[in-house]
Amino acid sequence: GAVVSQHPSRVICKSGTSVKIECRSLDFQATTMFWYRQFPKQSLMLMATSNEGSKATYEQGVEKDKFLINHASLTLSTLTVTSAHPEDSSFYICSALRANLGNEQFFGPGTRLTVL
Amino acid sequence: ELKVEQNPLFLSMQEGKNYTIYCNYSTTSDRLYWYRQDPGKSLESLFVLLSNGAVKQEGRLMASLDTKARLSTLHITAAVHDLSATYFCAVDKAAGNKLTFGGGTRVLVKP
């Protein structure tokens, strides 16, 4: 199989603090990972593409200084929400691209962020 | 810009009846995916459709792809309550590229 984990699964923080979310591919190496955000009753919106060893590529309208992405190894990408505000509250889902399985994306279980 | 549209957005189903969800996309694509999402959960992969005329079936769900019409359908046969969820289609332009998701179809199967 292809398993992707996220940590934490749920986080509550105060406005102005920073939160780090980890995305790990557990049984395969992933040079590319993706970060999505999903608001209630809406679809997934791609935030950025994370490439191992290089800078992330952000989608239009996503603030790169607010959503810091680090893909330091072939099995780990992190998303840091800096100076979080209530409007950043959302469900964040990562996916990892498995090259030897037809380049299919495998999704993590998601992280529910609530900013008070 | 690749656009993906699903309809309907909401589908109230009666158990035992058949229904279809449609997914249209705007430009040529290499592959089309169907996912299921339960409330509060992440995505569960249902099908990957790679070529024109592709048809895949798993249990009560069957997905098909018509690349000429840029249309995929997800057919539900004899709906049961366990199929209540939100279903998304997604398209990528080239293997390994980012996915563009449809708006989702929320399915509620009533007894």
Side-chain angles (χ1 to χ4, degrees), chain B residues 26-100:
Chain B
S26 59
T27 63
T28 304
S29 171
D30 279 350
R31 56 181 74 185
L32 187 138
Y33 300 84
W34 283 98
Y35 296 96
R36 168 183 170 141
Q37 185 178 38
D38 291 297
K41 305 290 186 183
S42 188
L43 301 183
E44 173 190 351
S45 179
L46 296 174
F47 302 107
V48 181
L49 302 170
L50 301 177
S51 59
N52 188 42
V55 177
K56 290 193 174 180
Q57 183 164 5
E58 181 73 35
R60 299 175 187 273
L61 302 179
M62 183 174 71
S64 64
L65 179 62
D66 180 344
T67 58
K68 293 180 182 178
R70 297 176 187 160
L71 170 69
S72 179
T73 59
L74 180 66
H75 188 73
I76 298 173
T77 301
V80 292
H81 180 69
D82 285 353
L83 292 179
S84 296
T86 299
Y87 294 84
F88 291 97
C89 65
V91 173
D92 71 13
K93 279 194 64 68
N97 277 11
K98 53 191 182 184
L99 294 177
T100 300

Coordinates of all heavy atoms in Angstrom, one line a residue, chain B residues 26-100:
Chain B
S26 N -12.9 20.8 -18.5 CA -12.8 21.7 -19.6 C -11.7 21.5 -20.6 O -11.8 21.9 -21.8 CB -12.7 23.1 -19.1 OG -11.5 23.2 -18.3
T27 N -10.6 20.8 -20.2 CA -9.5 20.6 -21.2 C -9.1 19.2 -21.2 O -9.4 18.4 -20.3 CB -8.3 21.5 -20.9 OG1 -7.8 21.2 -19.6 CG2 -8.8 23.0 -20.9
T28 N -8.3 18.8 -22.2 CA -7.8 17.4 -22.2 C -7.0 17.1 -21.0 O -6.3 17.9 -20.4 CB -6.8 17.3 -23.4 OG1 -7.5 17.8 -24.6 CG2 -6.4 15.9 -23.6
S29 N -7.3 15.8 -20.5 CA -6.6 15.4 -19.3 C -6.1 14.0 -19.4 O -6.6 13.2 -20.2 CB -7.6 15.4 -18.1 OG -7.1 14.8 -17.0
D30 N -5.1 13.7 -18.6 CA -4.5 12.4 -18.7 C -5.2 11.4 -17.9 O -5.3 10.2 -18.2 CB -3.0 12.4 -18.2 CG -2.1 12.9 -19.2 OD1 -2.5 13.0 -20.4 OD2 -0.9 13.2 -18.9
R31 N -5.8 11.8 -16.8 CA -6.5 10.8 -15.9 C -7.5 11.5 -15.1 O -7.4 12.7 -14.8 CB -5.5 10.0 -15.1 CG -4.6 10.9 -14.2 CD -3.7 10.1 -13.4 NE -2.6 9.5 -14.2 CZ -1.7 8.7 -13.8 NH1 -1.7 8.3 -12.5 NH2 -0.7 8.3 -14.6
L32 N -8.5 10.7 -14.7 CA -9.6 11.2 -13.8 C -9.8 10.3 -12.6 O -9.7 9.1 -12.7 CB -10.9 11.3 -14.7 CG -12.1 12.0 -13.9 CD1 -12.8 12.9 -14.9 CD2 -13.0 11.0 -13.3
Y33 N -10.0 10.9 -11.5 CA -10.1 10.2 -10.2 C -11.5 10.4 -9.6 O -12.1 11.5 -9.8 CB -9.1 10.7 -9.2 CG -7.7 10.6 -9.7 CD1 -7.1 11.5 -10.5 CD2 -6.9 9.5 -9.2 CE1 -5.7 11.4 -10.9 CE2 -5.5 9.4 -9.6 CZ -5.0 10.4 -10.4 OH -3.7 10.3 -10.8
W34 N -12.0 9.4 -8.9 CA -13.2 9.6 -8.1 C -12.7 9.3 -6.6 O -12.0 8.3 -6.4 CB -14.3 8.7 -8.5 CG -15.0 9.1 -9.7 CD1 -14.8 8.7 -11.0 CD2 -16.1 10.1 -9.7 NE1 -15.7 9.4 -11.8 CE2 -16.5 10.2 -11.1 CE3 -16.7 10.9 -8.8 CZ2 -17.5 11.1 -11.5 CZ3 -17.7 11.7 -9.2 CH2 -18.1 11.8 -10.5
Y35 N -13.2 10.1 -5.7 CA -12.9 10.0 -4.3 C -14.2 10.0 -3.5 O -15.2 10.7 -3.9 CB -12.0 11.1 -3.8 CG -10.6 11.1 -4.4 CD1 -10.4 12.0 -5.5 CD2 -9.6 10.4 -3.9 CE1 -9.1 12.0 -6.1 CE2 -8.3 10.4 -4.5 CZ -8.1 11.2 -5.6 OH -6.9 11.3 -6.1
R36 N -14.1 9.4 -2.3 CA -15.2 9.5 -1.4 C -14.7 10.2 -0.1 O -13.6 9.9 0.3 CB -15.7 8.1 -1.0 CG -16.7 8.1 0.2 CD -17.1 6.7 0.5 NE -17.8 6.7 1.8 CZ -18.9 5.9 2.1 NH1 -19.3 5.1 1.2 NH2 -19.5 6.0 3.2
Q37 N -15.5 11.0 0.5 CA -15.1 11.7 1.7 C -16.3 11.6 2.7 O -17.4 12.1 2.4 CB -14.7 13.2 1.5 CG -14.2 13.8 2.8 CD -13.8 15.3 2.6 OE1 -14.4 16.0 1.8 NE2 -12.7 15.7 3.2
D38 N -16.0 11.0 3.8 CA -17.0 10.9 4.9 C -16.8 12.2 5.8 O -15.7 12.8 5.9 CB -16.8 9.7 5.7 CG -17.2 8.4 5.0 OD1 -18.4 8.4 4.6 OD2 -16.4 7.6 4.6
P39 N -17.8 12.6 6.5 CA -17.7 13.8 7.3 C -16.5 13.8 8.3 O -16.3 12.8 9.0 CB -19.0 13.9 8.1 CG -20.0 13.1 7.2 CD -19.2 12.0 6.6
G40 N -15.7 14.8 8.3 CA -14.6 14.9 9.2 C -13.4 14.1 8.8 O -12.4 14.1 9.5
K41 N -13.5 13.4 7.7 CA -12.4 12.5 7.2 C -11.7 13.0 6.0 O -12.2 14.0 5.3 CB -13.0 11.1 7.0 CG -13.7 10.5 8.1 CD -12.8 10.2 9.3 CE -13.5 9.4 10.4 NZ -12.6 9.1 11.5
S42 N -10.6 12.4 5.6 CA -9.9 12.7 4.4 C -10.5 12.0 3.2 O -11.6 11.4 3.3 CB -8.4 12.4 4.6 OG -7.7 12.9 3.5
L43 N -9.8 12.0 2.1 CA -10.3 11.3 0.9 C -10.0 9.9 0.8 O -8.9 9.5 1.2 CB -9.7 12.0 -0.3 CG -10.0 13.5 -0.5 CD1 -9.4 14.0 -1.8 CD2 -11.5 13.8 -0.4
E44 N -10.9 9.1 0.3 CA -10.7 7.7 0.1 C -10.8 7.5 -1.5 O -11.7 7.9 -2.1 CB -11.8 6.8 0.7 CG -11.7 5.4 0.4 CD -13.0 4.6 0.9 OE1 -13.8 5.2 1.6 OE2 -13.1 3.4 0.5
S45 N -9.7 7.0 -2.0 CA -9.7 6.8 -3.5 C -10.7 5.7 -3.9 O -10.7 4.6 -3.3 CB -8.3 6.4 -3.9 OG -8.2 6.2 -5.3
L46 N -11.5 5.9 -4.9 CA -12.4 5.0 -5.4 C -11.9 4.4 -6.7 O -11.8 3.2 -6.9 CB -13.8 5.6 -5.6 CG -14.5 6.1 -4.3 CD1 -15.8 6.8 -4.7 CD2 -14.8 4.9 -3.4
F47 N -11.7 5.3 -7.7 CA -11.3 4.8 -9.0 C -10.3 5.8 -9.7 O -10.3 7.0 -9.4 CB -12.6 4.8 -10.0 CG -13.7 3.9 -9.5 CD1 -14.9 4.5 -9.0 CD2 -13.6 2.5 -9.6 CE1 -15.9 3.7 -8.6 CE2 -14.6 1.7 -9.1 CZ -15.8 2.3 -8.6
V48 N -9.5 5.2 -10.5 CA -8.6 6.0 -11.4 C -9.0 5.6 -12.8 O -8.9 4.4 -13.2 CB -7.1 5.7 -11.1 CG1 -6.3 6.6 -12.1 CG2 -6.8 6.0 -9.7
L49 N -9.3 6.5 -13.7 CA -9.7 6.2 -15.0 C -8.7 6.8 -16.0 O -8.4 8.0 -15.9 CB -11.1 6.8 -15.3 CG -12.2 6.3 -14.4 CD1 -13.5 7.1 -14.6 CD2 -12.5 4.8 -14.7
L50 N -8.1 6.0 -16.8 CA -6.9 6.4 -17.6 C -7.1 6.7 -19.0 O -6.4 7.3 -19.7 CB -5.8 5.4 -17.4 CG -5.3 5.1 -16.0 CD1 -4.3 4.0 -16.0 CD2 -4.8 6.4 -15.3
S51 N -8.2 6.1 -19.6 CA -8.3 6.2 -21.1 C -9.8 6.2 -21.5 O -10.7 5.9 -20.7 CB -7.6 5.0 -21.7 OG -8.3 3.8 -21.3
N52 N -10.0 6.7 -22.7 CA -11.3 6.8 -23.2 C -12.0 5.5 -23.2 O -11.5 4.4 -23.6 CB -11.3 7.4 -24.6 CG -12.7 7.7 -25.1 OD1 -13.5 8.2 -24.4 ND2 -13.0 7.3 -26.4
G53 N -13.2 5.5 -22.7 CA -14.0 4.2 -22.6 C -13.8 3.4 -21.4 O -14.4 2.3 -21.2
A54 N -12.9 3.9 -20.6 CA -12.5 3.1 -19.3 C -13.8 3.0 -18.5 O -14.5 3.9 -18.3 CB -11.4 3.8 -18.6
V55 N -14.0 1.8 -17.9 CA -15.1 1.5 -17.0 C -14.5 0.7 -15.9 O -13.8 -0.3 -16.1 CB -16.2 0.8 -17.7 CG1 -17.3 0.4 -16.6 CG2 -16.8 1.5 -18.8
K56 N -14.8 1.2 -14.7 CA -14.4 0.4 -13.5 C -15.6 0.2 -12.5 O -16.4 1.2 -12.4 CB -13.2 1.1 -12.8 CG -11.9 1.0 -13.6 CD -10.7 1.4 -12.8 CE -9.4 1.2 -13.6 NZ -8.2 1.6 -12.8
Q57 N -15.6 -0.9 -11.9 CA -16.7 -1.2 -11.0 C -16.2 -1.8 -9.7 O -15.2 -2.6 -9.7 CB -17.7 -2.2 -11.6 CG -18.9 -2.4 -10.7 CD -20.0 -3.1 -11.5 OE1 -19.9 -3.4 -12.7 NE2 -21.2 -3.2 -10.8
E58 N -16.8 -1.3 -8.6 CA -16.5 -1.8 -7.3 C -17.8 -1.8 -6.5 O -18.3 -0.8 -6.1 CB -15.4 -1.0 -6.6 CG -15.0 -1.5 -5.2 CD -14.1 -2.7 -5.3 OE1 -13.3 -2.8 -6.2 OE2 -14.2 -3.5 -4.4
G59 N -18.3 -3.0 -6.2 CA -19.5 -3.1 -5.5 C -20.7 -2.4 -6.2 O -20.9 -2.7 -7.4
R60 N -21.3 -1.5 -5.5 CA -22.5 -0.8 -6.1 C -22.1 0.4 -6.9 O -22.9 1.1 -7.4 CB -23.4 -0.4 -5.0 CG -24.0 -1.5 -4.2 CD -24.8 -1.1 -3.1 NE -25.2 -2.2 -2.2 CZ -26.3 -2.9 -2.4 NH1 -27.1 -2.7 -3.4 NH2 -26.6 -3.9 -1.6
L61 N -20.8 0.7 -7.0 CA -20.3 1.9 -7.7 C -19.6 1.5 -9.1 O -18.9 0.5 -9.1 CB -19.3 2.6 -6.9 CG -19.7 3.1 -5.5 CD1 -18.6 3.8 -4.8 CD2 -20.9 4.1 -5.7
M62 N -19.9 2.3 -10.1 CA -19.3 2.1 -11.4 C -19.0 3.4 -12.0 O -19.8 4.3 -12.0 CB -20.2 1.3 -12.3 CG -19.6 1.0 -13.7 SD -20.6 0.0 -14.7 CE -21.9 1.1 -15.2
A63 N -17.7 3.6 -12.4 CA -17.3 4.8 -13.0 C -16.9 4.6 -14.4 O -16.3 3.6 -14.8 CB -16.1 5.4 -12.2
S64 N -17.2 5.6 -15.3 CA -16.8 5.5 -16.7 C -16.2 6.8 -17.1 O -16.4 7.9 -16.5 CB -18.0 5.1 -17.5 OG -19.0 6.2 -17.5
L65 N -15.5 6.8 -18.3 CA -14.8 8.0 -18.8 C -15.0 8.1 -20.3 O -14.7 7.1 -21.0 CB -13.3 7.9 -18.4 CG -12.5 9.1 -18.9 CD1 -13.0 10.4 -18.3 CD2 -11.0 8.9 -18.6
D66 N -15.5 9.2 -20.7 CA -15.6 9.6 -22.1 C -14.7 10.8 -22.4 O -15.1 11.9 -22.1 CB -17.0 9.8 -22.5 CG -17.2 10.2 -24.0 OD1 -16.2 10.5 -24.7 OD2 -18.3 10.1 -24.5
T67 N -13.5 10.6 -22.9 CA -12.5 11.7 -23.0 C -12.9 12.6 -24.1 O -12.6 13.8 -24.1 CB -11.1 11.2 -23.2 OG1 -11.1 10.4 -24.4 CG2 -10.6 10.4 -22.1
K68 N -13.7 12.1 -25.1 CA -14.1 13.0 -26.2 C -15.1 14.0 -25.7 O -15.1 15.2 -26.1 CB -14.6 12.1 -27.3 CG -13.6 11.3 -28.0 CD -14.1 10.4 -29.1 CE -13.1 9.6 -29.8 NZ -13.6 8.7 -30.8
A69 N -16.0 13.5 -24.9 CA -17.0 14.4 -24.3 C -16.5 15.1 -23.1 O -17.2 16.0 -22.5 CB -18.3 13.6 -24.0
R70 N -15.3 14.7 -22.6 CA -14.8 15.3 -21.3 C -15.8 15.1 -20.2 O -16.1 16.0 -19.5 CB -14.3 16.7 -21.5 CG -13.2 16.9 -22.5 CD -12.9 18.3 -22.8 NE -11.9 18.5 -23.9 CZ -11.8 19.6 -24.5 NH1 -12.4 20.7 -24.2 NH2 -10.9 19.6 -25.5
L71 N -16.2 13.9 -20.1 CA -17.3 13.6 -19.1 C -17.0 12.2 -18.5 O -16.6 11.2 -19.1 CB -18.6 13.5 -19.8 CG -19.8 12.9 -19.0 CD1 -20.2 13.9 -17.9 CD2 -21.0 12.7 -20.0
S72 N -17.1 12.2 -17.1 CA -17.1 11.0 -16.4 C -18.4 10.9 -15.6 O -18.9 11.9 -15.2 CB -15.9 10.9 -15.5 OG -15.8 9.7 -14.7
T73 N -18.8 9.6 -15.4 CA -20.0 9.4 -14.6 C -19.7 8.4 -13.5 O -18.8 7.5 -13.7 CB -21.2 8.9 -15.4 OG1 -20.8 7.6 -16.0 CG2 -21.6 9.8 -16.5
L74 N -20.3 8.6 -12.4 CA -20.2 7.7 -11.3 C -21.7 7.2 -11.0 O -22.5 8.0 -10.7 CB -19.7 8.3 -10.0 CG -19.6 7.4 -8.8 CD1 -18.5 6.3 -9.0 CD2 -19.2 8.2 -7.5
H75 N -21.9 5.9 -11.3 CA -23.2 5.3 -11.2 C -23.3 4.5 -9.9 O -22.5 3.7 -9.6 CB -23.5 4.4 -12.5 CG -24.9 4.0 -12.5 ND1 -25.9 4.8 -12.9 CD2 -25.4 2.8 -12.3 CE1 -27.1 4.1 -12.9 NE2 -26.8 2.9 -12.5
I76 N -24.4 4.8 -9.2 CA -24.7 4.0 -8.0 C -25.9 3.1 -8.2 O -27.0 3.6 -8.6 CB -25.0 5.0 -6.8 CG1 -23.8 5.9 -6.6 CG2 -25.4 4.3 -5.6 CD1 -24.0 7.0 -5.6
T77 N -25.7 1.9 -8.0 CA -26.7 0.9 -8.2 C -27.3 0.4 -6.9 O -26.6 0.1 -6.0 CB -26.2 -0.4 -8.9 OG1 -25.6 0.0 -10.2 CG2 -27.2 -1.4 -9.2
A78 N -28.6 0.5 -6.8 CA -29.4 0.0 -5.6 C -28.7 0.6 -4.4 O -28.2 -0.1 -3.5 CB -29.4 -1.5 -5.5
A79 N -28.9 1.9 -4.2 CA -28.2 2.7 -3.2 C -28.6 2.1 -1.8 O -29.7 1.6 -1.5 CB -28.7 4.1 -3.2
V80 N -27.6 2.1 -0.9 CA -27.7 1.7 0.5 C -27.2 2.9 1.3 O -26.4 3.7 0.9 CB -27.0 0.4 0.8 CG1 -27.7 -0.7 0.1 CG2 -25.5 0.5 0.4
H81 N -27.6 2.8 2.6 CA -27.3 3.9 3.5 C -25.8 4.2 3.7 O -25.3 5.3 3.8 CB -27.9 3.7 4.9 CG -27.6 4.7 5.9 ND1 -28.2 6.0 5.8 CD2 -26.8 4.8 7.0 CE1 -27.7 6.8 6.8 NE2 -26.9 6.0 7.5
D82 N -25.0 3.1 3.6 CA -23.6 3.2 3.8 C -22.9 4.0 2.7 O -21.7 4.4 2.8 CB -22.9 1.8 3.8 CG -23.2 1.0 5.1 OD1 -23.7 1.7 6.0 OD2 -22.9 -0.2 5.1
L83 N -23.6 4.3 1.6 CA -23.0 5.1 0.5 C -23.2 6.6 0.8 O -22.7 7.4 0.0 CB -23.6 4.7 -0.8 CG -23.3 3.3 -1.3 CD1 -24.0 3.0 -2.6 CD2 -21.8 3.1 -1.5
S84 N -23.8 6.9 1.8 CA -24.0 8.4 2.2 C -22.6 8.9 2.4 O -21.9 8.4 3.3 CB -24.9 8.6 3.4 OG -26.2 8.1 3.1
A85 N -22.2 10.0 1.7 CA -20.9 10.6 1.8 C -20.9 11.7 0.7 O -21.8 12.0 0.0 CB -19.8 9.6 1.5
T86 N -19.7 12.4 0.7 CA -19.5 13.4 -0.4 C -18.6 12.7 -1.4 O -17.5 12.2 -1.0 CB -19.0 14.7 0.1 OG1 -19.9 15.2 1.0 CG2 -18.8 15.7 -1.0
Y87 N -18.9 12.8 -2.7 CA -18.1 12.2 -3.7 C -17.5 13.4 -4.6 O -18.1 14.3 -5.0 CB -18.9 11.3 -4.6 CG -19.4 10.1 -3.9 CD1 -20.6 10.2 -3.1 CD2 -18.7 8.9 -3.9 CE1 -21.0 9.1 -2.4 CE2 -19.1 7.8 -3.2 CZ -20.3 7.9 -2.4 OH -20.7 6.8 -1.7
F88 N -16.2 13.2 -4.8 CA -15.4 14.2 -5.6 C -14.8 13.5 -6.8 O -14.3 12.4 -6.7 CB -14.3 14.8 -4.8 CG -14.7 15.7 -3.7 CD1 -14.8 15.2 -2.4 CD2 -15.0 17.1 -3.9 CE1 -15.2 16.1 -1.3 CE2 -15.4 17.9 -2.9 CZ -15.5 17.4 -1.6
C89 N -14.9 14.2 -7.9 CA -14.0 13.8 -9.1 C -12.9 14.8 -9.1 O -13.0 16.0 -8.6 CB -14.8 13.8 -10.4 SG -15.4 15.4 -11.0
A90 N -11.8 14.4 -9.7 CA -10.6 15.2 -9.8 C -9.9 14.9 -11.1 O -9.9 13.7 -11.5 CB -9.7 15.1 -8.6
V91 N -9.2 15.8 -11.7 CA -8.6 15.7 -13.0 C -7.1 16.2 -12.9 O -6.9 17.2 -12.3 CB -9.3 16.4 -14.1 CG1 -8.6 16.4 -15.4 CG2 -10.7 15.8 -14.2
D92 N -6.2 15.5 -13.5 CA -4.9 16.1 -13.6 C -4.5 16.1 -15.1 O -4.9 15.3 -15.9 CB -3.8 15.4 -12.8 CG -3.4 14.1 -13.2 OD1 -3.8 13.7 -14.4 OD2 -2.8 13.4 -12.5
K93 N -3.8 17.1 -15.5 CA -3.4 17.3 -16.9 C -2.3 16.4 -17.3 O -2.2 16.1 -18.5 CB -3.1 18.8 -17.2 CG -4.2 19.7 -17.3 CD -3.8 21.0 -17.9 CE -3.3 20.9 -19.3 NZ -4.3 20.6 -20.3
A94 N -1.5 16.0 -16.4 CA -0.4 15.1 -16.8 C 0.0 14.3 -15.6 O -0.1 14.8 -14.4 CB 0.8 15.9 -17.3
A95 N 0.4 13.1 -15.7 CA 0.7 12.3 -14.6 C 1.7 13.0 -13.7 O 2.8 13.5 -14.1 CB 1.4 11.0 -15.1
G96 N 1.4 13.0 -12.4 CA 2.2 13.7 -11.4 C 1.9 15.1 -11.2 O 2.5 15.8 -10.3
N97 N 1.0 15.7 -12.0 CA 0.7 17.1 -11.9 C -0.4 17.3 -10.8 O -1.0 16.3 -10.4 CB 0.2 17.7 -13.2 CG 1.4 18.1 -14.1 OD1 2.5 17.8 -13.8 ND2 1.1 18.8 -15.1
K98 N -0.6 18.5 -10.5 CA -1.6 18.8 -9.5 C -3.0 18.5 -9.9 O -3.3 18.6 -11.1 CB -1.5 20.3 -9.1 CG -1.6 21.2 -10.3 CD -1.2 22.7 -9.8 CE -1.3 23.6 -11.0 NZ -0.9 25.0 -10.6
L99 N -3.8 18.2 -9.0 CA -5.2 17.8 -9.2 C -6.1 19.0 -9.1 O -5.9 19.9 -8.3 CB -5.7 16.8 -8.2 CG -5.0 15.4 -8.3 CD1 -5.6 14.5 -7.2 CD2 -5.3 14.7 -9.6
T100 N -7.1 19.1 -10.0 CA -8.2 20.0 -9.9 C -9.4 19.3 -9.6 O -9.8 18.3 -10.3 CB -8.4 20.8 -11.3 OG1 -7.1 21.5 -11.6 CG2 -9.5 21.8 -11.1

